Amino acid sequence: MTEYVLVTGGAGYIGSHTVVELANGGYHTIVVDNLCNSSEESIRRVEELTSTKVPFIKLDLRDQEALDKVFTDYNIKSVIHFAGLKAVGESTKIPLEYYDCNVTGAVNLLKVMQAHKVPNFVFSSSATVYGDATKYENMIPIPEECPTGPMSPYGRTKLFIEDIIRDAASADPNLKAAILRYFNPIGAHPSGRIGEDPLGIPNNLLPFIAQVAVGRREKLQVFGNDYEGSPDGTPIRDYIHVVDLAKGHLAALSKLDSIKTDGIQGFVREWNLGSGKGSTVFDIIHAFERATGKTIPYDVVARRNGDVLDLTAKPTRANIELKWEVQLSVEQACRDLWNWTTKNPLGYGHEH
Ligand code: NAD
Ligand code: UFG
């Protein structure tokens, strides 16, 4: 009987790139997604890129009955859980929707997995669970042991779900979970067929830069250049190519497969997925300009609420235990983002 990896939120940005890598790695995948921030077109393109079939079921994770049916219909061995809401600013405006979607969705999924005795769980957590690591000594680059302290409802949903997974694993010897704390994913598949397609005004730096470069927006706003401790005053982040990030999920699945639990408790472990290299906002603007030959006009404006000085990963644990490390440069990510943007200036809505 064919064994499947269930990918929740697989129509989205990171999910669609991960489904490509899973297919290339010989895994059979199924995607569930409610399409609140994505389009089914991404799955169609993943199928075309990989010459495989990817069964897609449109559902919301809060619909436990619909979710249960998927586990009855398919022989699922592993779940990679991307589905959720992810805009930091929006989460401060509609926190209850964030808790409901992210936390209730994850609890439902874990319950259904338990009912069907599905062992492997990979969870999309975020570096945002660390909050401001600069307030601790020797915690930049950030190791997994760094104390957590998320600064937004979004970040708290991630930390609560992590805690729920840790509690579930201590009570269920069948559960093996990888908590992947992503740093800043950027770029697109080198084919230019799939990429990030944000609705409305992009929140994130790279999609905004790309829209300026393609003429959809006039200028970038740089949110503050008065951060003490940054070489040019702008915040420092650890940007990683989305294809490298996608491959991290295969590394985590292999790791989980190799783990034997003691029959009393399950297994759970956190891994940072980052490069270990920090870039400022100006570094990124310049990398994009070098990679594309475009000039990005910008204004420096006030700081954005909730931004912290430095989120740079210490990725040693993932390097050693998952045998995973970043292969692609920020410049490569900028080139691939530009390729995707010029081929699909309006995202999936309008093919050129
Ligand atoms: P995305 O919005 O492109 O993908 C998330 C997908 O989940 C979307 O396709 C959306 O339609 C779906 N979804 C949302 N709520 C759902 C629900 N209740 N039921 C079913 N489907 C639902 O976002 P992404 O950038 O691909 O992020 C994927 C995951 O990685 C998220 O959990 C996000 O929090 C996490 N993450 C992202 C970043 C980042 O910078 N992109 C960084 C750290 C962590
Ligand atoms: N920035 C600008 N102008 C913009 C957008 C961003 O100057 O128009 C700056 C921000 O101030 C920040 C940097 O660019 O200094 C990166 O901002 P992003 O919004 O691209 O990314 P964040 O680091 O704020 O957050 C992202 C994801 C989170 C995730 C985090 C992990 O949105 O979900 O990375 O590091 F948790």
Side-chain angles (χ1 to χ4, degrees):
M1 204 170 156
T2 309
E3 269 181 1
Y4 285 90
V5 178
L6 174 69
V7 181
T8 78
Y13 172 47
I14 307 170
S16 56
H17 288 82
T18 303
V19 177
V20 168
E21 297 308 319
L22 287 166
N24 292 342
Y27 289 93
H28 297 277
T29 57
I30 325 163
V31 168
V32 298
D33 199 301
N34 68 2
L35 303 181
C36 72
N37 195 37
S38 53
S39 95
E40 209 179 321
E41 173 67 10
S42 67
I43 302 296
R44 203 187 62 71
R45 294 196 189 181
V46 166
E47 289 185 317
E48 169 206 291
L49 269 176
T50 59
S51 307
T52 59
K53 286 298 300 162
V54 179
F56 171 70
I57 299 118
K58 184 177 174 198
L59 62 77
D60 191 295
L61 290 184
R62 287 164 288 188
D63 181 349
Q64 207 175 308
E65 215 174 295
L67 194 58
D68 194 271
K69 184 166 183 319
V70 177
F71 283 76
T72 305
D73 291 348
Y74 293 91
N75 176 30
I76 296 169
K77 163 112 182 288
S78 305
V79 174
I80 304 183
H81 178 38
F82 294 103
L85 301 174
K86 62 155 187 176
V88 175
E90 184 186 61
S91 78
T92 64
K93 306 267 168 7
I94 50 168
L96 299 179
E97 183 57 22
Y98 269 69
Y99 286 111
D100 187 40
C101 180
N102 293 4
V103 180
T104 311
V107 171
N108 272 349
L109 183 59
L110 286 162
K111 275 180 163 172
V112 173
M113 282 178 64
Q114 190 172 51
H116 291 267
K117 300 196 164 49
V118 175
N120 298 338
F121 189 64
V122 179
F123 173 58
S124 298
S125 189
S126 167
T128 203
V129 300
Y130 296 117
D132 186 5
T134 57
K135 66 184 181 202
Y136 305 106
E137 249 178 67
N138 294 327
M139 285 293 169
I140 300 283
I142 306 175
E144 289 80 356
E145 297 80 11
C146 179
T148 50
M151 292 166 58
S152 69
Y154 163 69
R156 279 186 283 277
T157 67
K158 291 290 172 191
L159 188 59
F160 291 167
I161 297 167
E162 287 197 5
D163 283 337
I164 290 166
I165 296 167
R166 286 185 275 264
D167 286 341
S170 40
D172 178 3
N174 192 43
L175 181 60
K176 297 189 284 182
I179 291 174
L180 302 182
R181 293 178 176 156
Y182 310 157
F183 285 69
N184 291 46
I186 58 168
H189 193 265
S191 65
R193 295 296 290 156
I194 58 169
E196 189 169 11
D197 182 16
L199 291 176
I201 302 172
N203 294 303
N204 297 115
L205 181 61
L206 265 303
F208 203 105
I209 290 179
Q211 291 198 2
V212 172
V214 83
R216 272 175 83 180
R217 322 226 162 244
E218 199 197 330
K219 274 183 184 177
L220 172 71
Q221 297 192 314
V222 172
F223 298 138
N225 64 352
D226 57 351
Y227 283 84
E228 232 173 277
S230 157
D232 61 24
T234 63
I236 302 163
R237 296 288 178 273
D238 186 336
Y239 296 90
I240 80 166
H241 197 300
V242 65
V243 171
D244 277 333
L245 181 63
K247 288 180 177 162
H249 296 76
L250 277 75
L253 279 184
S254 304
K255 180 72 186 176
L256 293 181
D257 265 335
S258 74
I259 302 279
K260 295 246 175 310
T261 65
D262 59 8
I264 301 162
Q265 292 204 328
F267 169 86
V268 62
R269 189 137 170 95
E270 304 78 18
W271 286 283
N272 284 339
L273 297 187
S275 70
K277 182 177 164 285
S279 307
T280 67
V281 175
F282 288 133
D283 288 339
I284 293 295
I285 296 174
H286 296 141
F288 188 89
E289 290 180 336
R290 274 197 306 277
T292 64
K294 292 281 196 186
T295 302
I296 304 300
Y298 66 83
D299 283 332
V300 176
V301 300
R303 289 182 179 196
R304 184 171 66 178
N305 236 345
D307 276 350
V308 297
L309 166 65
D310 195 338
L311 279 174
T312 303
K314 181 170 185 187
T316 320
R317 191 189 275 187
N319 298 160
I320 295 170
E321 296 179 4
L322 302 182
K323 299 179 184 64
W324 171 89
E325 64 182 12
V326 159
Q327 309 276 345
L328 302 166
S329 64
V330 165
E331 277 76 11
Q332 185 63 48
C334 289
R335 271 194 294 280
D336 290 335
L337 170 62
W338 186 233
N339 183 37
W340 151 255
T341 310
T342 48
K343 287 184 171 148
N344 310 268
L346 298 174
Y348 288 114
H350 303 259
E351 214 171 321
H352 278 235

